[in-house]
Amino acid sequence: MTDVNVAAGGFTTELFSKKINISLNDHGKYTDIVNRKYEGEIKNQGDRVYFYTLDNLTVKDYAPNATGFDGIEYENPTGDKQALVVDQAKYISFLVDDIREVQSNIELVDQYTKKIAVSGSQIKDRYIHGLAVANAGTKRHADAALQLTKDNVWAEVCALYATLGRKNALINGVDYAGKRPALVITPEIEGLVKQCSQFFANNFGADVLRKGMIGTLGGFDVFVDTNIKTDKSGTGSAATYSQTMVALTSDAITYAEQITKTETLRDIRQFGDYVRCLMVYGGTVANPDCVVTSKVTMSGLNLAA
């Protein structure tokens, strides 16, 4: 049997608390907004699901006795074929040391599983946000960003809502699934929103707070997302920061994900287990007219680029 040299860093000299310090993480919201209707058909990376968006049919006059009427004409609707491809793959792996786990009595695997979920949500959220920004049917202020203030944020939110309505993305104020449209903003834009007189913060309870919905504004459920990219230009007090607000309905983006592999392997060199997890996911903007973006700038934020 090999002796453990305590002075050289053996395990008996270390003490691990049963309490775990909180770690701060970015939080995303898109996976609570997008639709996942085809997720059950996705199994492995590279899988794809084809679906169709139906054509509109033409309503025609029926006048059998009129001059020039040649009888009923039939259309041949084919629909717009689209593909949802699961082509994104990420993994997380770590080592669980037997001695430290036993001594500290911390359920490390469980805790790290939660950390995997948080880390995975950040990656997925940035991916979905990128899809929305790149493929939005309407991109407001794309060429010259709007200088956003507490005095004009309400008007801009109303313009986003009106655009969704004009694009037929809303029916009586809700989408085709009966849900209110979502407005995804950053904490900095949230600060301006809360200063405008039209903001109404609702007490929705702990579950909604965990999902990041801060209330309603201009017909939207408002979500705060810390994953949205911030672009900086200029330096010092002259620096400005641009971000993109996204307004969308649940019909806009179709998304699917799977945790395809979760494995443990025994370490042959020491007493411990390797844990690894593979996540695959993919999405597509199925209805571009159900997404509207607004590029805005703000000053005086003192954020890192």
Side-chain angles (χ1 to χ4, degrees):
M1 177 181 295
T2 302
D3 293 332
V4 176
N5 188 336
V6 175
F11 65 87
T12 57
T13 62
E14 296 179 338
L15 175 63
F16 290 84
S17 173
K18 296 180 181 180
K19 301 176 182 178
I20 299 177
N21 185 47
I22 187 172
S23 57
L24 304 180
N25 302 285
D26 284 339
H27 48 85
K29 298 296 163 283
Y30 279 101
T31 52
D32 297 321
I33 301 170
V34 298
N35 75 75
R36 303 167 78 159
K37 64 179 73 175
Y38 305 110
E39 193 165 62
E41 302 178 44
I42 297 294
K43 298 299 181 184
N44 297 293
Q45 181 189 2
D47 281 0
R48 65 182 63 207
V49 174
Y50 291 103
F51 58 93
Y52 289 88
T53 300
L54 298 181
D55 294 331
N56 290 324
L57 299 179
T58 305
V59 178
K60 303 175 183 178
D61 293 329
Y62 179 67
N65 299 319
T67 302
F69 182 77
D70 296 326
I72 295 177
E73 299 176 345
Y74 292 89
E75 298 180 63
N76 182 24
T78 57
D80 181 18
K81 182 180 178 181
Q82 300 184 65
L84 169 60
V85 183
V86 177
D87 57 358
Q88 306 292 312
K90 306 291 182 184
Y91 79 90
I92 296 177
S93 58
F94 57 94
L95 172 67
V96 178
D97 186 287
D98 283 356
I99 297 174
R100 296 189 178 189
E101 183 179 7
V102 172
Q103 276 211 320
S104 61
N105 197 27
I106 300 174
E107 296 180 357
L108 290 178
V109 175
D110 178 62
Q111 295 298 325
Y112 272 108
T113 299
K114 294 177 182 178
K115 292 292 291 182
I116 289 172
V118 171
S119 300
S121 70
Q122 297 167 7
I123 295 170
K124 294 179 293 185
D125 210 68
R126 285 190 286 269
Y127 169 76
I128 297 173
H129 179 73
L131 287 177
V133 171
N135 299 285
T138 303
K139 301 178 180 180
R140 291 177 54 81
H141 317 297
D143 297 326
L146 171 69
Q147 179 68 38
L148 197 67
T149 68
K150 64 181 180 63
D151 298 318
N152 66 8
V153 65
W154 166 252
E156 185 61 19
V157 169
C158 289
L160 292 171
Y161 189 89
T163 302
L164 287 176
R166 173 55 62 186
K167 294 292 185 177
N168 297 312
L170 301 175
I171 304 174
N172 297 324
V174 297
D175 64 20
Y176 285 74
K179 301 177 182 178
R180 271 195 300 259
L183 177 65
V184 186
I185 61 177
T186 65
E188 294 74 38
I189 298 174
E190 177 192 12
L192 295 178
V193 166
K194 287 185 174 180
Q195 293 179 62
C196 79
S197 59
Q198 294 85 358
F199 176 72
F200 177 65
N202 295 280
N203 182 14
F204 287 106
D207 182 61
V208 173
L209 291 177
R210 280 194 296 271
K211 293 182 179 179
M213 194 169 76
I214 64 170
T216 62
L217 183 72
F220 290 105
D221 286 338
V222 183
F223 292 81
V224 178
D225 192 325
T226 62
N227 282 293
I228 295 177
K229 181 182 179 182
T230 299
D231 294 316
K232 178 182 177 182
S233 62
T235 58
S237 59
T240 59
Y241 305 84
S242 64
Q243 299 173 341
T244 301
M245 294 193 291
V246 176
L248 73 166
T249 72
S250 65
D251 307 297
I253 299 176
T254 297
Y255 174 81
E257 68 178 61
Q258 290 287 338
I259 303 297
T260 60
K261 301 286 185 181
T262 301
E263 300 176 341
T264 59
L265 302 171
R266 195 64 180 167
D267 185 4
I268 63 174
R269 298 169 299 175
Q270 61 187 36
F271 295 103
D273 290 302
Y274 289 111
V275 181
R276 60 190 187 187
C277 177
L278 177 64
M279 173 183 68
V280 297
Y281 59 97
T284 185
V285 177
N287 293 294
D289 285 340
C290 295
V291 188
V292 183
T293 60
S294 176
K295 186 176 181 180
V296 300
T297 61
M298 291 166 285
S299 58
L301 300 181
N302 195 28
L303 296 176

